[in-house]
Amino acid sequence: LKVLLSVDLFLFVRVLAMPRPVAATKKASPKAAKKAVAKPVDPVTASVRSVLAQLKKSSVEDTALEILLTSAKVTLPLEQENRAPMHEQVMSWIREQLQGQEQQAAAALAAVNQTLTSIDAERAQLAVVVAKAQEGRASAEELLKAKAAVSADRLAALDAQREADAAGLAARREKEVAVEAVLKVRGSVEAIQTALTELLGGTVEEKQVKKQVQKVCAFLKKAEGFDSALLNTLPSVLQKPASAMSQFEQTAAGAAVDWLKTHIAKLTEELGAAQTAVKEAETGLATLVGLETSYAAATGAEEAATQALSSAVDTLAAAEKAVSDFDSATEERRSERTATEETLGEVKASISEFEKLWMRTQKVADVEMGDGQVVEPAVPVEMACDESM
């Protein structure tokens, strides 16, 4: 086509369209003309139409394709004896285009077939993954079922023991409440001790001193066993840090500190006794405590089994989706192969028709027309092709 575009293209096409001298023929008899009308199927025209239809699919520029089609319409119907060198060149270009299409279609088909060569093996591998995932889910379901049964059994035993140890449970709870009360009181005393230490150390902001002194004195006023005589002195004494106090003031403040330390030590001792009482109460509930521990372990195992089952279900869903996606992709590839095979078949059929036209001689044309005569068609071949394009 590059060579074709390098000359006067339109002049070239007009030259191709000029009638070539043909061998002398007899005028068709009326009877023969009637036969031609009775048999409108023209194999040459059919072949030309097939080739032109395939040429239209060529991947060339629009202008070049238009010139190629115009030249082909004129050239394809000609017998070998009636072709000029220009016509032979056009036939060669047509053959190149058709063969190029055939090569492209064959390469595309080979590529598609290559993607399908290992399809069975790939599908089998995915099926194995699905089967393993199904086994994993079944195992996880069985494990969860077993763990849930253990939890249920241990809960039933725990409930029965709780009923049997109702009195012991009440006693233990009473001791636990005592422990909680002592802890609360000791925490309050320790907070006051910290506040007093901050005041004596002079680390409290000036605007917060009065408020913190009131907090300490209010607590000591309510505290059982604290010397009430000191309550009259402490509010003024605690307004200043220990470094600014007189000997008497330091003694008063020190008495408060000592009392808090003694009180905290006493509360700590009470706490120890209360905690010991709780342990003693639990001694009589050894079976119950063991069942509580066992049940907690069972519920933990059941929760882990539940999570394992959820993971197994997700794994199976992913494996099944992979199979579904693979099947969809395979179906697309098979459809692509079918379409490519059809394309290749169309190209081969057009090449076959082209070869018939390429090898066609005047003698063959005479036989096609019957009675050894060559009859010019009422409508030029190229116009007949235009009607179908």
Side-chain angles (χ1 to χ4, degrees):
L1 289 178
K2 290 182 180 179
V3 176
L4 178 61
L5 291 174
S6 66
V7 299
D8 189 337
L9 300 178
F10 294 101
L11 178 59
F12 179 74
V13 173
R14 290 187 62 185
V15 170
L16 289 176
M18 293 176 61
R20 298 283 298 165
V22 298
T25 58
K26 296 187 295 181
K27 186 177 180 180
S29 64
K31 185 181 295 185
K34 289 181 180 179
K35 287 183 180 180
V37 173
K39 296 182 179 180
V41 178
D42 181 1
V44 175
T45 300
S47 296
V48 171
R49 288 176 177 174
S50 174
V51 174
L52 291 176
Q54 196 61 43
L55 286 177
K56 273 194 169 186
K57 302 175 183 178
S58 298
S59 56
V60 296
E61 296 179 359
D62 293 343
T63 302
L65 180 60
E66 182 180 357
I67 295 172
L68 176 62
L69 290 173
T70 302
S71 304
K73 290 177 184 178
V74 176
T75 303
L76 286 171
L78 298 177
E79 300 85 4
Q80 292 182 7
E81 294 86 349
N82 296 324
R83 295 177 199 152
M86 289 183 183
H87 295 116
E88 294 294 343
Q89 183 62 51
V90 171
M91 293 295 280
S92 296
W93 290 328
I94 294 173
R95 170 175 278 174
E96 289 175 4
Q97 285 298 316
L98 294 178
Q99 289 177 342
Q101 291 186 27
E102 181 183 24
Q103 292 172 357
Q104 291 177 355
L109 181 59
V112 174
N113 285 332
Q114 182 62 34
T115 65
L116 294 171
T117 53
S118 60
I119 184 171
D120 292 335
E122 293 177 17
R123 184 64 166 74
Q125 290 177 350
L126 291 175
V128 169
V129 174
V130 171
K132 290 183 177 179
Q134 290 173 336
E135 293 176 359
R137 184 184 65 178
S139 298
E141 288 174 342
E142 289 297 324
L143 179 61
L144 177 58
K145 183 178 179 181
K147 296 301 181 183
V150 172
S151 294
D153 291 343
R154 292 184 182 179
L155 178 59
L158 178 59
D159 289 340
Q161 192 64 36
R162 281 172 176 169
E163 185 176 352
D165 292 343
L169 283 171
R172 182 179 68 172
R173 182 54 190 157
E174 182 180 345
K175 305 301 181 183
E176 290 173 343
V177 170
V179 169
E180 293 167 0
V182 175
L183 283 171
K184 183 177 180 181
V185 173
R186 189 178 69 169
S188 299
V189 176
E190 288 174 340
I192 295 302
Q193 183 186 44
T194 300
L196 181 57
T197 301
E198 292 173 350
L199 288 169
L200 296 176
T203 59
V204 181
E205 294 182 9
E206 184 176 353
K207 61 182 180 179
Q208 296 293 329
V209 169
K210 184 177 179 181
K211 183 178 179 180
Q212 193 145 322
V213 169
Q214 291 174 346
K215 176 182 177 181
V216 172
C217 292
F219 178 83
L220 294 175
K221 185 177 180 180
K222 296 179 182 180
E224 183 179 352
F226 186 74
D227 188 353
S228 59
L230 290 175
L231 291 174
N232 297 325
T233 306
L234 283 177
S236 59
V237 170
L238 296 179
Q239 295 291 333
K240 45 190 172 183
S243 59
M245 292 180 184
S246 65
Q247 185 64 39
F248 172 76
E249 290 173 336
Q250 290 181 0
T251 300
V257 172
D258 292 340
W259 185 88
L260 288 173
K261 289 181 178 179
T262 302
H263 194 45
I264 290 174
K266 182 179 178 182
L267 289 171
T268 301
E269 184 179 349
E270 292 178 5
L271 177 62
Q275 290 174 334
T276 299
V278 170
K279 292 180 180 180
E280 291 175 351
E282 288 181 344
T283 301
L285 300 172
T287 302
L288 180 61
V289 173
L291 287 175
E292 288 176 339
T293 303
S294 178
Y295 175 64
T299 55
E302 183 180 357
E303 178 60 26
T306 301
Q307 294 177 355
L309 176 58
S310 177
S311 178
V313 170
D314 292 342
T315 300
L316 177 58
E320 290 176 338
K321 184 178 184 303
V323 172
S324 177
D325 292 345
F326 180 82
D327 289 342
S328 297
T330 299
E331 186 61 31
E332 291 178 1
R333 284 183 285 178
R334 285 174 174 163
S335 298
E336 183 181 356
R337 179 175 62 182
T338 299
T340 306
E341 288 174 340
E342 292 176 354
T343 299
L344 182 58
E346 292 171 358
V347 176
K348 287 183 176 294
S350 295
I351 291 177
S352 176
E353 296 301 321
F354 171 78
E355 293 298 335
K356 293 178 184 178
L357 294 171
W358 178 283
M359 300 302 297
R360 187 166 171 269
T361 63
Q362 184 64 57
K363 182 178 180 181
V364 173
D366 293 343
V367 172
E368 290 173 349
M369 298 305 301
D371 295 334
Q373 301 174 349
V374 176
V375 180
E376 296 181 2
V379 180
V381 174
E382 57 271 22
M383 293 180 62
C385 294
D386 287 337
E387 293 175 1
S388 64
M389 297 304 292

